[in-house]
Every structure is written in C-alpha cells, then in structure tokens.
Amino acid sequence: MGGTHVAMANDVTAGFWNPAGLTRIQGLEVSYMHSERFGGIVGYDYGAVAFRVPNDGGFMSVSFFRQGVDGIKNTLNAWDRERNRPRENAQDFITEFSAADVAFFVSYANVISDNLSWGASAKVLNSRLGPFANAWGYSIDVGALYTRGDYTFGVNLMDITTMTKFWSVNAGRLTALEEDFGDEIPVGQNEIILPTIKLGVARSFDLGDFTLVAGLDTDLRFENRRTYYINVGSMSIEPHVGVELGYKNLLFLRTGLTEFATDRSGSIYTSPTLGAGIRLGAFDLDYGFSSFAGVSSDLGFTHRISMKFTFDRLGRSS
C-alpha cells in the first residue's frame, strides 16, 4: 500500500508502523515476512510476536529485523603484493562476508480512552560490515492513534531521542588495504540518525460484502534531503498513498504510491506498489510487489511475502 500504515496499524506489525496500533490486536499474534529487494540483491527478514499484558490492560510486542547483502566477495588476501598481481589460484584466497543491519524492538501500548491510544518502542540496532566494522545504536519511537467516526489519525515519532550509532573498526582485518593498496584504514566514528515524524490519516468505507480503506501518510525528515517532491529548508516531505479493497474479510487487493521524487527539470516521479492477501482461518497470507516502476525500477523488482497467525481465531470460522 505504498508504505501507508501509520493510521492503519492494527496488528502485530504495529510495533514498527505505529506502536499505538498494538491496542487493536485480537489476542496473541505472530508474524513473519521475507522480502527480496532490488532483484534479490538485498534480503529483508522480519518477525514479531504481540500479546496482551496480563493484569495490566496493556499490549506488548517484540520485533526482529534483518536487512543485508550476503555473499560479498572479500578479495583483500587474493593480491600478491610482491608480484603486484593476483595470486596463483586467487579464488582460494577469496572469502565472503555480509553487510547487514539487525534490529530489535520492544513495544508497549495502552488505551487512554475509547478513541485514543498511545504506544512506544525501545529499539536496539546493530550494523555490521562483515569482520571489518560494526556499530550499535539505541533510540525510542513514540506513537498515538485517534479515531473519530470512520476516520483514524496516527502519528509516530521515530527516533525521538535521536539515534547515535557508535562504529568500531577491526583494523587488524584491514592491514592488506594499507600494505597492499596504500589506502588509509578507516577509523570508527559516530553516526547520527535524526528524528522522523510520520503522520497518517485513514478512512474506512462499508460497502456491504466489500470494505474499502484509503490512507495517506507523510514522512517529515530533517536530514536536508533534496530528492523529494516538497522541501522546506532542511525538512523533506515524503508522501505515501494507499488503498485496500476487501471482500467478506477474506480476500484483499492493495495498491499504493510511494517514493515521490523530482529531477533537476522539476519532473515528478513516483513508484507504484501492488499487493494481495487471503485469510484462511487463523492465518493471513500476503504478497507485495514494488520497485517495478518509478525512481527505483532500475535496481530491480522487490517481492514481499508475509504470514500472520492469530491464535484468537483458532477454531472459529472466518
């Protein structure tokens, strides 16, 4: 749905989209998603579990994320410095490594009133460049949901504490970079990730056997980006639009627009997304397809497959 979900979050995935949405879960829920991004170059895995907190009235979730590029060739040891050429049988000296980000979210949400709920996520992020460097970062997201009639309004303040990633470099694994190629070995430093404000509004329509949900999200970033449609000083405004059509709460079709961008001539580009889902008892199976057009299409297609299991629906007919 074009990444439109700040006001629609209502299940286990709310720990990422908007933690306040955890107050809408039906009971114990488990979810897993695998995505092949940009023609399979980047792998993305996500898993989460959400549940009611006993004797508290609140809701919690634990989420895991991994995004990375695997099988990167390390050729540092395949170079013969004395002969200034690759070693004999160079392939025997080539190893592989991964560049990946791994994150854990612990989220909590509770209800303030019939129309208003809040939530927060504590996040730990580890970035690793094979055996050469790694970094740790910590931050907090805070979100809220407000419902009025058929409309829902959402806000998620991501990295509200500002995330600082502390990089360290294993210089011992990079000596060949300096000795064989004359390059300078990098040193660890801090990386700052500024807060992002995600705003969303959604409206639902009851059409008998069909339901329609339409949403609009806007990401406000403060990193002085210049590649998006609207910029106000150092703030960029990144819109997302999405629609879901459901049939008897069993079959779902989705589409959206994301990655609005301009070029130097002022032309506007966007990337469409498509998706479908089916509910089979306690299981929800979903498929998403993106990056097939627009600014990221040259990098290859992106496929997402996910499954959710809702224990509260066990033994009940859909």
Side-chain angles (χ1 to χ4, degrees):
M1 297 178 65
T4 306
H5 220 63
V6 176
M8 299 181 186
N10 61 0
D11 61 9
V12 59
T13 63
F16 172 77
W17 293 108
N18 184 350
L22 290 172
T23 58
R24 299 176 172 185
I25 65 174
Q26 301 178 32
L28 180 61
E29 296 184 4
V30 179
S31 179
Y32 173 75
M33 182 198 76
H34 178 73
S35 172
E36 294 288 342
R37 298 186 171 188
F38 310 125
I41 297 174
V42 180
Y44 187 98
D45 289 279
Y46 158 81
V49 58
F51 52 90
R52 292 177 178 269
V53 181
N55 305 317
D56 177 80
F59 304 81
M60 288 192 69
S61 71
V62 178
S63 310
F64 167 82
F65 306 81
R66 183 190 185 274
Q67 176 176 266
V69 178
D70 300 311
I72 303 172
K73 303 296 183 182
N74 174 15
T75 61
L76 286 176
N77 296 322
W79 188 258
D80 189 333
R81 179 176 48 171
E82 295 181 356
R83 301 169 60 203
N84 197 31
R85 59 180 294 178
R87 296 178 184 272
E88 298 292 340
N89 300 319
Q91 64 274 9
D92 294 337
F93 297 89
I94 296 176
T95 57
E96 295 184 349
F97 67 95
S98 299
D101 293 323
V102 176
F104 291 93
F105 287 21
V106 177
S107 308
Y108 176 84
N110 213 323
V111 175
I112 297 176
S113 67
D114 290 341
N115 298 328
L116 182 63
S117 60
W118 71 275
S121 295
K123 308 191 300 186
V124 179
L125 173 65
N126 176 244
S127 298
R128 184 171 296 274
L129 299 176
F132 310 113
N134 75 93
W136 290 93
Y138 314 88
S139 69
I140 293 174
D141 295 350
V142 177
L145 280 177
Y146 175 74
T147 301
R148 186 176 182 86
D150 294 329
Y151 288 89
T152 302
F153 304 88
V155 58
N156 188 18
L157 307 178
M158 298 183 66
D159 300 311
I160 190 173
T161 55
T162 301
M163 177 181 286
T164 301
K165 292 171 64 178
F166 303 92
W167 281 95
S168 61
V169 176
N170 186 349
R173 301 300 295 267
L174 293 169
T175 53
L177 189 67
E178 182 177 54
E179 295 175 356
D180 296 347
F181 301 100
D183 293 328
E184 184 177 347
I185 296 178
V187 296
Q189 57 183 340
N190 296 341
E191 177 185 353
I192 303 297
I193 299 176
L194 298 176
T196 297
I197 302 175
K198 299 176 75 70
L199 305 172
V201 58
R203 184 181 179 183
S204 59
F205 301 85
D206 188 349
L207 306 175
D209 288 341
F210 292 90
T211 57
L212 181 69
V213 181
L216 170 66
D217 282 10
T218 300
D219 299 349
L220 307 180
R221 301 184 185 273
F222 305 89
E223 301 168 341
N224 203 26
R225 298 185 178 191
R226 296 294 175 181
T227 56
Y228 286 87
Y229 180 31
I230 303 173
N231 290 282
V232 180
S234 62
M235 182 180 72
S236 64
I237 302 174
E238 305 172 19
H240 307 266
V241 181
V243 176
E244 177 189 78
L245 178 67
Y247 175 68
K248 291 187 175 181
N249 209 28
L250 295 175
L251 299 174
F252 305 89
L253 296 176
R254 308 178 181 101
T255 187
L257 296 174
T258 187
E259 295 180 355
F260 288 82
T262 60
D263 60 16
R264 293 183 178 180
S265 67
S267 299
I268 302 172
Y269 299 89
T270 186
S271 296
T273 63
L274 298 171
I278 183 171
R279 177 165 293 174
L280 301 171
F283 288 92
D284 290 272
L285 303 176
D286 295 284
Y287 169 75
F289 182 47
S290 64
S291 302
F292 57 88
V295 294
S296 61
S297 58
D298 290 341
L299 297 175
F301 301 157
T302 293
H303 303 272
R304 295 181 175 91
I305 300 174
S306 65
M307 179 185 70
K308 183 179 71 175
F309 186 79
T310 303
F311 286 82
D312 191 57
R313 296 206 304 258
L314 277 175
R316 289 171 19 191
S317 60
S318 300

